[in-house]
Amino acid sequence: MPTVLYGEKTQKYNNSLQAAMSSMDSEGHLLLKNLSFQSDTVLHSHSIGHVWSGGLVNKLQNIKLQNLRHMDLSSLKQLSDATLCAFLGIAPKLESLELASAPFLFSTSGYLGEAASSRPNSAALTFTRFIHEVDRLKATFKSLNISRTYVSDLSLESLCKIKGLNLKRLVLVSCKDLSDAGIVRLCAAQPGLVELNLASNAQLTGVSVKHVCINLQFIKSLNLTKIRLHPNEFKPLIRLANCSQLILSACFQQQPAEADVEAAFRVWAPNMRSLDLSYCSGLSNKIFVNMCQYLKGLTELDVSSCFRIDDVTVREISQKLNQLTQLRMGWCKHITDLGLLGFYHEDFTHDCTKECRCGRVRNEVYFEYTPPVRDIAPREIVPSQAQIESAKVKHGETGAYPISLLTNLSVLDLTMCTKLTDASISSVVKFARLKSLGLSMCSRITDRSLIAIASNNPLLEIVDVSQCRELTDQAIFALVAGCRRLTHINLSGCPKITDTSIESMVKRRVKLKFLDVSMCNISLESIEMLERLVPTLQTIHKLYTSVPDHANSKMKSKC
């Protein structure tokens, strides 16, 4: 029985299809990511196969877009061989293809039969047909994303060994069936790769990393997130002389040899611009001091959750990395006001050789340590004003290197730096180009800090002060008055925020796109007024506001 789409819904689908087919952005990207069936469309049995293999294919047959270079078909569950061939057929000079979460079928003999593998299938997306299409486009094809698929070592090898294919970018995030053997074959078959993303492949080991570093001599961007490496496996990374972006998030839970790390920094120095060492909990102050000595050209640095670092590292960063535009130090709980002000004091430096709540060192091997429940709260040591003044006298005016020296900063994240207070935030968070500021769970800051931030950072667009329980309406009034470009504000968990803050946002005609007022003392009427009078608002979170339970809503999105 033929499938039918009725009335207005048929016209609605055809209109959206034509709009998608004709929409290209300024860079020549075809916007097909949202081309899928809407939840309110009336469909009968086998409708997906009929519409996509019949109607859609027919619409694409006579279209040729010579200037189309990039196509994004990620997460389209209705893809089949026929529709993929139709899409790729309109772009004879395609360079980049996004197929993350594509429903590939890697073994077809038992499902489709041997004879069916030679022609496009309208019911399934086979990897064999995909390889055939890549082989057809190989003259211009340079970039591919097949993340979150079940690509295996043999499938990856068959793709990379296409004669004449020279990939420059390959994204393989969270491909659980890949192993070291597949990465070894990839590196041998595609030595010209410039960008490689292997994030969230915890099954890979140092063997993969070694072959990437040895064989991919032109690599400029490398993501190894969550590939756990032993300290002895750091040495191959020294070979990354041409790399400008390196992501080693959660790779090292133990500290590598200092000589190897210093040698790597020395080799990376000419080209390295972006370095992510977040969640490398084994790295100490000394490693980062050496980093600041060599990598002075860094523009992006992430040391989030490197909880062994303290004011010494912050002072070195402020002194030597003056080209930074993005700095993330979230969850570095040993950073105090002294570090942001450009000082350090021996009483507040962190020493993991003693028993502490973030880890221990035994027999020169660092390992994670979970304290007993009764000892779970870390011991807070916050410098007093007298100690700050003493540090100023000791270092002198010329010895202070406050974080405000990083004049190019556009992103600063200090989430969960619980020892920071108004003494530093109100004095040194002043950047002419700052666009994003994260102070979530910095529970010691008050209105004084936010008022100073509002007057010293005019270009702020994104502010996160969630769980800063001492903030009041006065701070929000100053923020919306001083930062006219605000688009995202997170105020969740600030119980002293009331309807007055919402009224100030309306009066100042803020152009908010996102607002989170969960667990604030705000009424439903004020939220509805904001939704009605701020047309730019797209998403508002309002969980556990001071309204009746039956009227509460977790989130409202307006598209």
Side-chain angles (χ1 to χ4, degrees):
M1 181 176 179
T3 302
V4 181
L5 288 173
Y6 291 99
E8 294 180 357
K9 300 185 184 297
T10 303
Q11 187 63 37
K12 182 178 179 181
Y13 172 76
N14 290 336
N15 290 341
S16 65
L17 175 64
Q18 294 296 335
M21 290 308 306
S22 60
S23 60
M24 292 179 63
D25 64 13
S26 58
E27 297 180 358
H29 290 68
L30 184 59
L31 306 179
L32 295 169
K33 193 170 184 178
N34 296 322
L35 185 58
S36 59
F37 293 104
Q38 303 298 322
S39 58
D40 60 346
T41 304
V42 179
L43 302 174
H44 293 272
S45 60
H46 305 293
S47 58
I48 292 178
H50 171 78
V51 174
W52 285 78
S53 63
L56 180 60
V57 172
N58 292 334
K59 289 176 182 292
L60 298 179
Q61 280 182 350
N62 300 321
I63 298 177
K64 296 294 179 184
L65 301 177
Q66 298 294 333
N67 295 326
L68 181 60
R69 297 289 185 269
H70 311 277
M71 191 180 293
D72 189 346
L73 302 175
S74 299
S75 302
L76 290 180
K77 301 302 181 185
Q78 298 91 342
L79 275 179
S80 66
D81 284 353
T83 51
L84 180 66
C85 292
F87 279 129
L88 298 184
I90 70 175
K93 297 182 180 179
L94 191 68
E95 295 178 0
S96 175
L97 179 61
E98 303 288 321
L99 282 172
S101 301
F104 280 118
L105 187 64
F106 291 94
S107 178
T108 60
S109 57
Y111 178 64
L112 301 175
E114 295 295 341
S117 62
S118 61
R119 61 181 182 273
N121 190 281
S122 61
L125 177 63
T126 64
F127 201 73
T128 303
R129 173 54 54 178
F130 169 68
I131 290 178
H132 181 271
E133 291 300 306
V134 172
D135 186 45
R136 182 177 59 81
L137 297 168
K138 62 187 177 183
T140 59
F141 198 73
K142 302 296 180 186
S143 175
L144 176 64
N145 182 354
I146 50 174
S147 300
R148 299 184 299 279
T149 62
Y150 293 98
V151 59
S152 64
D153 297 339
L154 292 177
S155 299
L156 183 61
E157 183 181 16
S158 63
L159 170 66
C160 295
K161 283 192 172 182
I162 295 176
K163 189 175 181 180
L165 177 64
N166 295 306
L167 288 176
K168 298 298 181 184
R169 171 181 173 267
L170 183 60
V171 183
L172 297 169
V173 176
S174 193
C175 294
K176 304 301 183 183
D177 287 349
L178 275 183
S179 69
D180 291 329
I183 303 302
V184 170
R185 295 166 184 168
L186 164 67
C187 295
Q190 295 292 329
L193 276 172
V194 174
E195 180 179 345
L196 179 61
N197 190 338
L198 299 175
S200 300
N201 287 295
Q203 72 278 11
L204 301 182
T205 69
V207 175
S208 294
V209 175
K210 180 179 179 180
H211 281 80
V212 167
C213 296
I214 292 175
N215 295 325
L216 304 185
Q217 299 180 6
F218 304 102
I219 195 80
K220 291 185 178 180
S221 177
L222 179 60
N223 190 336
L224 302 175
T225 298
K226 293 186 180 180
I227 299 179
R228 294 296 180 92
L229 301 176
H230 190 271
N232 295 335
E233 294 172 328
F234 184 90
K235 187 171 290 187
L237 296 172
I238 299 175
R239 293 174 172 266
L240 299 176
N242 295 316
C243 192
S244 60
Q245 181 183 34
L246 180 59
I247 302 177
L248 297 174
S249 180
C251 288
F252 293 99
Q253 304 305 305
Q254 302 178 23
Q255 180 163 300
E258 291 180 4
D260 292 341
V261 177
E262 185 173 356
F265 290 155
R266 191 181 295 110
V267 172
W268 298 347
N271 297 306
M272 189 64 68
R273 296 295 176 265
S274 177
L275 183 60
D276 186 344
L277 296 172
S278 58
Y279 302 96
C280 292
S281 54
L283 303 184
S284 66
N285 273 330
K286 192 168 184 179
I287 294 294
F288 290 103
V289 170
N290 286 335
M291 177 198 71
C292 294
Q293 180 180 351
Y294 293 104
L295 302 184
K296 295 182 179 180
L298 280 180
T299 58
E300 299 178 11
L301 177 63
D302 192 340
V303 294
S304 303
S305 292
C306 293
F307 46 67
R308 297 179 72 184
I309 67 174
D310 55 32
D311 298 335
V312 174
T313 294
V314 179
R315 183 174 183 268
E316 289 293 315
I317 290 173
S318 301
Q319 178 184 1
K320 297 177 180 177
L321 303 185
N322 51 26
Q323 296 185 35
L324 280 180
T325 60
Q326 298 185 20
L327 176 60
R328 294 178 171 86
M329 299 188 292
W331 294 84
C332 296
K333 298 183 180 181
H334 297 294
I335 295 175
T336 71
D337 291 330
L338 289 170
L340 264 62
L341 293 169
F343 309 112
Y344 69 89
H345 193 287
E346 287 76 8
D347 292 343
F348 301 100
T349 54
H350 181 60
D351 186 3
C352 274
T353 59
K354 304 174 183 177
E355 178 179 328
C356 73
R357 292 163 178 79
C358 68
R360 292 177 177 175
V361 174
R362 288 183 178 176
N363 299 325
E364 300 181 353
V365 176
Y366 180 84
F367 63 94
E368 294 183 12
Y369 165 63
T370 302
V373 174
R374 65 178 181 277
D375 200 25
I376 198 70
R379 181 169 56 97
E380 295 285 357
I381 303 178
V382 179
S384 65
Q385 188 61 38
Q387 290 168 323
I388 293 176
E389 294 299 328
S390 175
K392 288 182 180 179
V393 172
K394 177 180 177 181
H395 290 277
E397 294 184 1
T398 58
Y401 296 99
I403 199 171
S404 56
L405 292 177
L406 304 176
T407 55
N408 295 316
L409 270 190
S410 62
V411 176
L412 177 62
D413 183 12
L414 297 171
T415 298
M416 197 58 185
C417 294
T418 54
K419 296 183 180 180
L420 297 179
T421 70
D422 293 338
S424 61
I425 298 297
S426 62
S427 300
V428 296
V429 180
K430 47 179 70 175
F431 306 97
R433 303 178 183 179
L434 192 65
K435 295 183 178 180
S436 176
L437 177 62
L439 294 173
S440 176
M441 293 179 281
C442 294
S443 55
R444 298 179 186 274
I445 67 172
T446 66
D447 291 350
R448 176 187 165 193
S449 290
L450 221 57
I451 292 172
I453 288 170
S455 61
N456 295 322
N457 303 274
L459 300 185
L460 266 180
E461 297 176 2
I462 302 173
V463 176
D464 185 353
V465 288
S466 57
Q467 303 296 328
C468 296
R469 302 180 65 83
E470 299 302 317
L471 295 181
T472 69
D473 294 325
Q474 184 180 1
I476 306 307
F477 179 83
L479 187 65
V480 297
C483 304
R484 302 298 296 159
R485 298 190 179 189
L486 280 175
T487 58
H488 292 66
I489 305 179
N490 190 341
L491 302 173
S492 62
C494 298
K496 296 182 181 180
I497 301 298
T498 68
D499 292 349
T500 305
S501 294
I502 301 297
E503 293 172 4
S504 65
M505 294 178 190
V506 174
K507 289 180 180 179
R508 291 288 177 176
R509 297 181 180 180
V510 293
K511 297 181 180 179
L512 285 181
K513 295 180 180 179
F514 172 89
L515 177 66
D516 191 342
V517 290
S518 301
M519 297 176 284
C520 293
N521 191 23
I522 294 176
S523 67
L524 180 62
E525 290 76 12
S526 293
I527 295 174
E528 290 177 343
M529 177 184 66
L530 183 71
E531 294 173 340
R532 185 173 63 254
L533 299 178
V534 181
T536 58
L537 190 62
Q538 297 174 354
T539 303
I540 180 168
H541 295 257
K542 48 188 177 182
L543 181 66
Y544 301 131
T545 51
S546 58
V547 296
D549 289 341
H550 69 273
N552 213 344
S553 173
K554 293 184 179 180
M555 180 180 70
K556 178 179 178 182
S557 296
K558 301 187 303 179
C559 300

